[in-house]
Every structure is written in C-alpha cells, then in structure tokens.
Amino acid sequence: MTTLVTEQMREQYETDGYFILERALSDEQLRLLRGGAAYAIEKADREMDAAGVDRLNLNARGKRYFSEMIYKDRPELREFLFSDTMAQICFATLGEQAYLFWEQYVIKAADPEGSAFAWHQDSGYVHEEHKPYLTVWIALDDVTEENGSVYLLPYTRSGIRSYVKHIQDPETNDRVCYFGSDPGLPVVAPAGSIVCFSSVVMHRSGSNLTDRLRRVYLAQYSSEIIMTKDGSRPWGSFEQFPVWSALR
C-alpha cells in the first residue's frame, strides 16, 4: 500500500524498532521545516526572557531547545504533519488508524558540554500505561557524530521492547533509563532524512561540537488516544490522522 516504506523497513521496525529513510523530504518541505525551527528558537527565548532565566524545563538558552506544538502557531506545519509522506510512514508502522500525539523541535547550538541528551525512551516522558507510539525524527541539517546526532539501541542490542523506569537527572532535568556501556548505533545521514523509531527504543544524543546548528523536527503518532495516567484527559494532541484517505 506504500511506496516510501519498503517491506524490509517494516520488518526492521518489528525486529529492531527503527528504520531510516534517507533524503525523504523535498527541498520545499525542508525549507518549510527550517522556517519553523527559527520561529521555535525565537519563541523559546521569549519564554525564558519572560521568566528571567536561561534554563527553562529542557531548554537552555543558546545551547539546546525543545519547543513543542509549534504547528499550532504555524498552519503550514500542520499541513506537513498530515501530508502523504507522514501518512505512508504511519500506515507502515501503526496500521489503519493513527493520531498526532506530539510535535516539537529539538535544536542544538554549538556547545561542547551542554547540548547532550541522556539515554531515554520517549515513553519515559509519558507513563507506562500506553501502547508504544511512533517517533518520526527528521534531520533538518546533515547529522553527524560531531554535531550531536542521535544514537539508537535497537531491540536486538538492548533486549528491551517495553517501558522501563527512568531516573531524573536533577541538573539537566533529563530522564535516564540506561547506564550500560553500549554506545549505541549513531545515525549519520544527510538533511531531509527521516529516522522512524518506536517510543520504547532507547536512544541518546551527543553534544554539538561544531559551530553550526543541528536542527531536528520531531513528530510523534500513536494508534490510540494516549491519556494522562489518571485517565482524566488526553496527554498531548489527539487529532486523528485519516490514513486511508491520505493514501487513496
């Protein structure tokens, strides 16, 4: 039913929890997402200015930025999130029903120490009572080990396919779930590439040792509406993705 995601990639997602689509974005899509990244940095800096701080939640001024739900401010991002590209990825990994769960920019400025991110599962930032969801990690710049790319621990290396308990680092606010010696599998890929992985795949990222930004756009989709732990409300977004319609 899809042309973007091959059967081999589907099998790799089941076996290892991830697959990579190199140069999957068009030049127009890349420009659109980079424009959103500039806006995300400006918005985060304004919020830190208003609070009178240089570190707010997971943001650190001039070092790393985690700006979420930017698509609510910029309608063109919403069009991308529900585009044919995303539809094909969702259909291949989640099946016939998908919801947009979360969206954010993850941006690292040049910083040898403060822009690393610890071993975690994306599910570790939610709670244990949900089905694993899909993370779509989109490189807006060429990603290398030098500029702080992501490192994955595939299922076949970690032996883990489910949620594990995380411990919060009091200095960085990172939640950490792995303290072993495996350095992980580095993702080295050109701008416009997409890394698709399960929310229970352990991953980390290094510091940006270059003098340029390393920008990533993150979209997450689930096969169900993920609720807060007490079941009182949806955790994040809950917009249904009409996968079948998008693929016709």
Side-chain angles (χ1 to χ4, degrees), residues 29-41 43-44 58-59 64-72 74 76-78 80-81 102-108 137-141 214-219:
Q29 288 174 321
L30 200 51
R31 284 194 296 271
L32 184 153
L33 297 183
R34 285 171 172 170
Y39 173 83
I41 291 175
K43 182 177 182 180
L58 294 175
N59 293 322
R64 69 181 195 183
Y65 294 88
F66 293 79
S67 298
E68 71 274 3
M69 300 306 190
I70 298 300
Y71 82 98
K72 293 185 176 181
R74 300 178 71 92
E76 67 273 21
L77 292 179
R78 188 182 188 284
F80 173 81
L81 291 167
W102 198 254
E103 173 258 26
Q104 69 179 10
Y105 279 94
V106 183
I107 300 168
K108 295 183 179 185
W137 191 96
I138 304 173
L140 305 186
D141 303 288
R214 191 233 66 180
R215 296 165 293 180
V216 165
Y217 188 55
L218 202 71

Side-chain angles (χ1 to χ4, degrees), residues 20-27 29-31 33-38 41 105-110 137-150 187-195 208 210-218:
I20 299 174
L21 297 164
E22 286 206 1
R23 302 184 189 276
L25 297 189
S26 67
D27 291 343
Q29 288 174 321
L30 200 51
R31 284 194 296 271
L33 297 183
R34 285 171 172 170
I41 291 175
Y105 279 94
V106 183
I107 300 168
K108 295 183 179 185
W137 191 96
I138 304 173
L140 305 186
D141 303 288
D142 295 344
V143 288
T144 66
E145 292 191 75
E146 289 72 29
N147 70 3
S149 187
V150 68
V187 172
V188 177
S193 298
I194 301 176
V195 186
N208 185 355
T210 73
D211 59 359
R212 298 175 299 278
L213 291 176
R214 191 233 66 180
R215 296 165 293 180
V216 165
Y217 188 55
L218 202 71

Side-chain angles (χ1 to χ4, degrees), residues 87-105:
Q88 291 191 52
I89 292 171
C90 285
F91 180 79
T93 55
L94 298 175
E96 300 176 14
Q97 179 169 277
Y99 296 87
L100 176 64
F101 169 55
W102 198 254
E103 173 258 26
Q104 69 179 10
Y105 279 94

Side-chain angles (χ1 to χ4, degrees), residues 119-132:
W119 281 113
H120 67 284
Q121 300 169 311
D122 287 340
S123 284
Y125 282 85
V126 186
H127 52 72
E128 69 274 19
E129 298 174 6
H130 64 269
K131 295 178 182 177

